[in-house]
């Protein structure tokens, strides 16, 4: 065997051993992550109260808040989120018993179509995928997969000579034996998802580094002081003044007329601003955040685009957007879902190839060695 | 047995899927099931009776070198729109600017993350500063001893 060939063989062993011992865990994380990409869409399909027809003049935010609060005694709306014309507006409400619930309000008729108490499927699948429901142990376990993932990508590219041929001459031998078919699928899917695996590996590695630095007490810095309402701008009255949500959103839309409204966060405390979040498409991947004085409906600051955030915050936002595919609406999500499925298939087919070939090859090699030794002993 | 090990050893990582299982019931319950016992303190700041609640567990490390303890602030429902803010601080605040951690979130159950001493001497006081919507300040304090939680 030539030196080049044995080196390739070594790379190939690395490629096999990086994922094989953890394949089931990796597969689980790939599948849950793929589901997480479209979790909102799945709940939309399952839960009719989240749907809206899309036609008609949308109601102002104040009317949606009033409708939601009328549906739950004592409920206080903390935020509104708009998911597009086909979705009901989600009004997150604080309840007197200390829990939260989401009211799904039809954006046109103002009818509360349903209440979803507690955490949503989106949050659940995220907790399952991201930290196995146990933080921070699970977070470390999951993000550590970034290392074998990146390793599999690199070794795969070394092992698979002329992988670029799969781009213009993808070869899948459907009629051959399953081992051959799985091998072809593994190579073609792998080549086509090079960019996606790289994105997922790098962003996951970032999640690992980020949390590790936090626990090591090494601050990444770059945190900005929160924007608050100046003390002398807070009104003096007997009771809490009512916040005019319509005026708040209108002020934000005046500041950024092209913005697609996605989220209204009412102040968490009396000293907080109201935040209007949307995307105006100024800078890809980055949302626009307009901080508004809730009492006067004056825009305090427009944070958005590149100058809005420091380096670390910017990295966080971009890494998160790239990892989840949540930055360009449904089309991007569907691309992420498709490649997430391909990645799950890669893990699964890799395992099948291993059990069908590599394991047998190893057994045969060991047996060969034994017979050789036995015959030399004789 | 050996055969089983040979066939199954590479699928053992599937056991990782069991990790989330014990946490599921707690996750889906609206209130924590396996939460440690609560310590409650009834205090009064001016006209506002307040119940402070914390879990009987040690303060946690915040990563920035400080030890933090979370307190939940229960006002009477009739008072929640009269109170502008509730601040908690270990040690008497010198002025309103340094009143401490501001309660936030659900107005019925505001939460405050309070920086606590790493090694309390036992004589510290937890100061509660309430500002109402007319701008008046009401202050009171309660001993931190017995209200920090955990084994100390």
């Amino acid at each position: 065997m030539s030196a080049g060939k044995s080196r390739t063989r070594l790379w190939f062993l690395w490629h096999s051993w990086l994922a094989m011992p953890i394949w089931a865990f990796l597969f689980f994380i790939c599948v849950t992550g793929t589901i997480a990409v479209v979790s909102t869409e799945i709940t939309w399909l399952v839960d009719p109260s989240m749907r809206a027809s899309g036609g008609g003049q949308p109601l102002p935010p104040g009317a949606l808040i009033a409708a939601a609060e009328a549906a739950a005694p004592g409920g206080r709306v903390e935020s509104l989120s708009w998911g597009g014309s086909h979705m009901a507006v989600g009004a997150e409400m604080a309840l007197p018993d200390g829990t939260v619930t989401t009211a799904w309000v039809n954006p046109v008729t103002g009818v509360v179509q349903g209440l979803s108490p507690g955490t949503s499927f989106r949050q659940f699948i995220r907790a399952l995928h991201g930290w196995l429901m146990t933080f921070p142990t699970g977070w470390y376990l999951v993000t550590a997969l970034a290392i074998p993932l990146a390793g599999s990508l690199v070794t795969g590219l070394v092992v698979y000579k002329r992988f670029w041929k799969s781009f213009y001459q993808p070869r899948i031998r459907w009629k051959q034996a399953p081992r051959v078919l799985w091998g072809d699928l593994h190579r073609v899917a792998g080549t086509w998802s090079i960019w996606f695996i790289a994105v997922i590996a790098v962003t996951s590695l970032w999640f690992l580094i980020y949390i590790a630095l936090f626990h090591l007490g090494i601050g990444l810095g770059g945190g900005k002081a929160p924007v608050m309402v100046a003390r002398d701008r807070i009104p003096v009255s007997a009771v809490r003044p009512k916040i005019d949500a319509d005026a708040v959103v209108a002020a934000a839309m005046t500041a950024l007329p092209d913005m697609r409204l996605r989220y209204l966060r009412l102040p968490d405390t009396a000293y907080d601003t109201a935040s209007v979040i949307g995307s105006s498409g100024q800078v890809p991947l980055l949302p626009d955040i307009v901080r508004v004085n809730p009492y006067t409906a004056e825009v305090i600051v427009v944070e958005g685009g590149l100058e809005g955030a420091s380096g670390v915050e910017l990295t966080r936002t971009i890494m998160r957007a790239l990892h989840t595919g949540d930055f360009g609406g449904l089309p991007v999500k569907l691309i992420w879902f498709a490649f997430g499925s391909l990645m799950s298939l890669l893990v699964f087919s890799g395992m099948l190839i291993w059990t069908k070939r590599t394991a047998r090859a190893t057994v045969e090699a060991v047996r060969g060695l034994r017979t050789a030794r036995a015959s030399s002993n004789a | 047995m050996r055969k089983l090990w040979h066939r199954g050893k590479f699928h053992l990582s599937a056991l990782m899927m069991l990790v989330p299982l014990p946490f599921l019931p707690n996750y889906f319950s609206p209130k924590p099931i396996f939460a440690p016992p609560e310590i409650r303190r009834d205090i009064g700041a001016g006209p506002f009776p307040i119940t402070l609640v914390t879990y009987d567990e040690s303060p946690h490390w915040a990563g920035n070198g400080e030890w933090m303890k979370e307190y939940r602030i229960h006002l009477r429902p009739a008072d929640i729109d009269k109170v502008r803010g509730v601040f908690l601080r270990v040690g008497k605040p010198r002025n309103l600017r340094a009143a401490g951690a501001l309660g936030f979130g659900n107005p019925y159950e505001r939460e405050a993350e309070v920086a606590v001493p790493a090694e309390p001497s036992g004589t510290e006081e937890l100061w509660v500063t309430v500002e109402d919507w007319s701008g008046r300040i009401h202050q009171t304090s309660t001993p931190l001893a017995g209200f920090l939680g955990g084994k100390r």
Side-chain angles (χ1 to χ4, degrees), chain A residues 280 316 330:
Chain A
S280 64
R316 263 180 81 170
L330 193 57

Side-chain angles (χ1 to χ4, degrees), chain B residues 130-142:
Chain B
V130 177
E131 185 186 19
D132 65 24
W133 274 100
S134 62
R136 274 191 302 269
I137 305 295
H138 313 276
Q139 270 187 323
T140 186
S141 71
T142 180

Side-chain angles (χ1 to χ4, degrees), chain A residues 97-98, chain B residues 30-41 51-57 69-74 109 146-150:
Chain A
D97 64 354
Chain B
K31 288 273 183 183
I33 299 175
F34 305 111
E38 288 176 340
I39 315 175
R40 303 174 81 91
R41 272 284 164 90
T51 305
L52 295 178
V53 185
T54 193
Y55 287 123
D56 189 3
E57 61 186 4
K69 183 80 186 147
E70 190 179 279
Y71 292 91
R72 280 168 289 144
I73 304 157
H74 293 265
E109 192 179 276
F147 201 30
L148 206 48

